Amino acid sequence: MRTLKVALLGCGVVGTEVARHLALHQDDLTARIGAPVELVGIAVRRADRLRPGVPEELVGTDAAALVARGDIDVVVEAIGGIEPAGELIRSAIARGASVVSANKALIAAQGGELHRAAREAGTDLFYEAAVGGAIPLLRPLRESLAGDRVTRVLGIVNGTTNFILDKMDSTGEEYEVALKEATALGYAEADPTADVEGHDAAAKAAILAGLAFNTRVTADQVFVQGITGVTAADMASARAMGSVVKLLAICERGADGESVTVRVHPAMIPLDHPLASVRGAYNAVFVEADAAGRLMFYGPGAGGAPTASSVLGDLVTACRNRLAGTTGPGETVYRQLDVRPMSEVVTSCHLDLDVEDEPGVLAAVATVFAEHGVSVDTLRQHHGPAGTSLVVVTHRATDAALAATVEAVAGLSRVRAVNSMMRVESR
Ligand code: HSE
């Protein structure tokens, strides 16, 4: 019986768990695949680091030489980042190896090109681990829902920011304080930029949108706003109206059927929305489809072992395909839908204003909304020690109209301050 040879690129948090679980479940994996699977080499940047459970004799620093061997069946890429990961994957594919990757940034930027290379070489390219850690999400979109028509994908796809927002919500702390706690506990990296500025979630949103709508979306087409501007006042304002703030990735098919919008930004959602109860570093994604209705996928979205679970699932499939002399479904893009800008997205907005408490203020604020064609859904006024505040939640309008309304309201002489302004997603 032939043995399937696997090379592992990168042996950090995820790579270590992949190697460990491969060894741990060797017999089961062999039975499931129908042939033994052998890890034949591990390429790392620094060979002198201790990696418990990883066979030391397999570790080396020459990744290019490892993928160039020519006898590798599957290359598992767990390095991350665009380069050298991209070059190594291209080289592996060119030599006829299938590739399993956890690299959302690379797939979101170059997925089309890499899929084309894999198709031409007759190999598999799988990346379930790139979105949502352990949560089976890409395979359901690509395969289980292939007979349906997905209309919307809405979710929490970044655990670091969900942890920080959750902390801010439960403690009333400001962003900087919650970020420090997240860093101390290992939830945020030393440089948290990719997570807190929303770029990690944007790459995942691009991948989800591409699979959901069978079109190509790259990360640079995703509107992105991170959580660094979210304040304790925003959280308090959300609480006061029975909501919570979450960083959402939202991919929607346009009503015309010819366009999509893809965005990542903080939003208030009602406490009874199922995403409101997603706590800590967990991820959850809703998929809405014509026939299926509303599906929810939930689980650990990061971490070594959960991410390794998805990598190993892909590895088993890639190995089975090698044995059968076939490949699984490749990129499912068959048309190019127009990716529309944020200004055209239809959403609602919550506005918490500090106002003078005198005749005509309400009328002045209401006039601005009317002038911009934005309808008010609810309006609440309350008096506190700091003065009078007006809380307005709008009906749905284009993001451009909402932004212009907020700017005009903020410019009114009797509006002293905008305490909080945030988009609202109620469905
Ligand atoms: N940094 C990501 C997160 C995990 O915080 O969710 C890897 O995708």
Side-chain angles (χ1 to χ4, degrees):
M1 194 190 299
R2 108 170 169 91
T3 296
L4 291 144
K5 293 184 180 165
V6 176
L8 174 61
L9 309 180
C11 204
V13 178
V14 174
T16 302
E17 289 299 319
V18 170
R20 209 170 65 79
H21 281 83
L22 253 179
L24 206 61
H25 304 304
Q26 182 85 45
D27 293 346
D28 284 329
L29 292 176
T30 298
R32 288 172 199 162
I33 290 165
V37 55
E38 185 192 355
L39 184 57
V40 296
I42 305 172
V44 298
R45 213 166 28 170
R46 287 188 40 202
D48 55 353
R49 264 187 39 200
L50 266 183
R51 297 175 175 87
V54 174
E56 254 178 66
E57 66 283 6
L58 297 181
V59 176
T61 52
D62 196 344
L66 181 58
V67 297
R69 274 176 50 157
D71 64 336
I72 306 290
D73 289 287
V74 185
V75 170
V76 174
E77 184 267 312
I79 303 174
I82 304 289
E83 294 300 346
E87 192 45 47
L88 291 166
I89 288 179
R90 280 188 287 275
S91 167
I93 290 171
R95 282 168 174 79
S98 289
V99 170
V100 173
S101 171
N103 193 331
K104 65 235 143 187
L106 180 66
I107 300 298
Q110 301 177 16
E113 179 201 325
L114 295 173
H115 270 294
R116 202 164 36 249
R119 191 175 58 243
E120 282 164 11
T123 69
D124 277 325
L125 169 64
F126 295 143
Y127 39 87
E128 182 66 62
V131 185
I135 309 170
L137 193 52
L138 306 191
R139 202 175 296 280
L141 278 172
R142 186 188 278 119
E143 296 182 30
S144 320
L145 289 164
D148 208 333
R149 181 177 179 272
V150 177
T151 51
R152 188 170 185 243
V153 179
L154 167 84
I156 295 168
V157 293
N158 184 271
T160 305
T161 47
N162 200 55
F163 179 87
I164 293 170
L165 292 174
D166 195 20
K167 262 265 166 256
M168 289 175 72
D169 180 54
S170 58
T171 61
E173 290 166 353
E174 285 292 357
Y175 164 76
E176 292 296 344
V177 179
L179 170 63
K180 275 203 185 93
E181 285 182 45
T183 310
L185 291 168
Y187 287 106
E189 293 184 31
D191 177 1
T193 312
D195 291 320
V196 299
E197 296 292 358
H199 303 306
D200 174 87
K204 293 167 178 169
I207 295 171
L208 288 172
L211 281 167
F213 306 131
N214 306 102
T215 190
R216 189 162 298 136
V217 179
T218 51
D220 56 4
Q221 293 175 302
V222 179
F223 170 84
V224 57
Q225 179 188 336
I227 64 160
T228 55
V230 177
T231 63
D234 291 326
M235 299 312 255
S237 213
R239 275 273 148 192
M241 65 164 209
S243 295
V244 65
V245 177
K246 295 289 186 190
L247 183 73
L248 298 182
I250 306 170
C251 318
E252 288 173 309
R253 192 190 282 274
D256 58 5
E258 297 301 315
S259 63
V260 293
T261 54
V262 190
R263 55 191 161 119
V264 168
H265 57 74
M268 292 184 185
I269 54 171
L271 284 169
D272 61 4
H273 191 292
L275 288 181
S277 56
V278 178
R279 309 290 306 270
Y282 274 76
N283 284 190
V285 175
F286 271 116
V287 177
E288 293 172 14
D290 280 351
R294 218 170 190 207
L295 309 169
M296 183 166 171
F297 299 83
Y298 172 81
T307 309
S309 167
S310 283
V311 168
L312 289 165
D314 278 351
L315 178 63
V316 167
T317 306
C319 286
R320 284 174 177 158
N321 289 345
R322 300 286 288 190
L323 281 185
T326 183
T327 55
E331 194 183 29
T332 51
V333 168
Y334 55 85
R335 67 180 153 200
Q336 189 55 53
L337 298 177
D338 201 10
V339 184
R340 304 304 303 161
M342 186 64 200
S343 56
E344 294 180 20
V345 166
V346 175
T347 181
S348 316
C349 158
H350 164 279
L351 199 55
D352 186 336
L353 307 168
D354 250 359
V355 296
E356 305 286 354
D357 189 10
E358 56 188 45
V361 172
L362 202 57
V365 170
T367 300
V368 171
F369 278 85
E371 282 171 354
H372 288 84
V374 174
S375 176
V376 172
D377 181 21
T378 62
L379 190 140
R380 203 159 37 89
Q381 176 170 306
H382 57 90
H383 308 281
T388 299
S389 61
L390 265 187
V391 179
V392 184
V393 180
T394 73
H395 279 298
R396 282 157 63 78
T398 64
D399 203 67
L402 293 171
T405 308
V406 173
E407 195 185 332
V409 165
L412 291 173
S413 60
R414 286 173 295 176
V415 171
R416 290 197 294 229
V418 177
N419 294 328
S420 167
M421 195 292 271
M422 194 168 286
R423 298 181 182 90
V424 175
E425 290 296 324
S426 47
R427 39 181 206 117

